[in-house]
Amino acid sequence: RSGRVLFLNRLHPEKCVHIAISLAEQYDLELDVIGTDSLLFCPEDYLRAMFRRFDGEKVRFWADPGYHMKLELLQSARCLIWPCLWPEPFGLGIVESMAVGTPVISFAWGAPTEIIQEGGVLITHFDQFPEALKRIENNKPEDCRRNAEKFSSGNMAKMYLELFRKVVGGERW
């Protein structure tokens, strides 16, 4: 793995790439930012502010790196940083990262609290980030992968069918 950390999400204030950049700067980390389809949906003033922070070396931006480069960045990253400060409904990037064996550091808001059981670290405050970086060193790629497999299309379909059966049967969910 490289020493670089990764941000994989839309460039939007609610997804908090500015926090990922600030953490990388504060702790002298190199950061790769993959901004998925983000340029179409991001407020222009925020986008301009973020582009000023991408220097091409310490903080590199990849608008649409394509499948193979995205996979390479995911596989080689020290970890994925998921700094969302709102109740994220799912977090596909978390599952993608863990599926290739890369651990995740996320704020404990919304879906990450359910997704990250193994293969990552949940934090509740910025001050916990350095300790989380140390803790992910103990994460094994196979633990990340096993955790991600819970969210495979087959497993998700089974869970939805079970939920539908319960609802149809009158159970609360």
Side-chain angles (χ1 to χ4, degrees):
R1 296 200 173 274
S2 75
R4 299 184 75 84
V5 296
L6 180 67
F7 174 91
L8 168 63
N9 215 322
R10 288 184 295 120
L11 291 190
H12 194 279
E14 70 187 10
K15 300 296 186 172
C16 302
V17 68
H18 59 282
I19 292 174
I21 294 170
S22 294
L23 288 169
E25 290 171 347
Q26 182 175 353
Y27 297 104
D28 197 31
L29 300 168
E30 294 177 325
L31 173 68
D32 286 309
V33 173
I34 300 177
T36 58
D37 307 66
S38 55
L39 304 181
L40 301 174
F41 306 105
C42 186
E44 287 185 39
D45 57 335
Y46 185 79
L47 195 58
R48 277 194 298 275
M50 293 306 98
F51 271 96
R52 284 194 293 273
R53 298 180 77 181
F54 301 144
D55 64 12
E57 291 179 30
K58 290 282 278 188
V59 181
R60 297 187 306 203
F61 176 67
W62 305 82
D64 182 9
Y67 173 80
H68 294 291
M69 183 52 116
K70 178 181 173 183
L71 183 60
E72 184 179 320
L73 290 166
L74 277 165
Q75 289 175 326
S76 67
R78 178 178 180 183
C79 69
L80 178 78
I81 300 175
W82 196 268
C84 293
L85 293 175
W86 71 291
E88 179 74 53
F90 184 66
L92 184 58
I94 294 171
V95 177
E96 288 178 307
S97 180
M98 295 173 91
V100 300
T102 300
V104 178
I105 298 174
S106 174
F107 285 102
W109 298 95
T113 61
E114 296 176 32
I115 297 171
I116 301 172
Q117 303 299 316
E118 296 179 84
V121 178
L122 295 167
I123 61 176
T124 57
H125 195 276
F126 300 105
D127 293 345
Q128 297 170 328
F129 186 72
E131 181 60 30
L133 281 171
K134 291 177 191 170
R135 287 180 53 205
I136 60 150
E137 299 302 324
N138 296 322
N139 282 240
K140 296 179 182 135
E142 52 272 13
D143 293 339
C144 296
R145 175 74 182 171
R146 184 175 41 256
N147 193 72
E149 286 172 356
K150 296 174 192 174
F151 302 96
S152 70
S153 58
N155 284 339
M156 293 297 291
K158 287 176 191 173
M159 288 189 283
Y160 276 114
L161 284 173
E162 183 59 31
L163 177 62
F164 294 151
R165 283 187 191 104
K166 287 180 180 181
V167 171
V168 168
E171 290 183 49
R172 295 188 60 173
W173 61 286

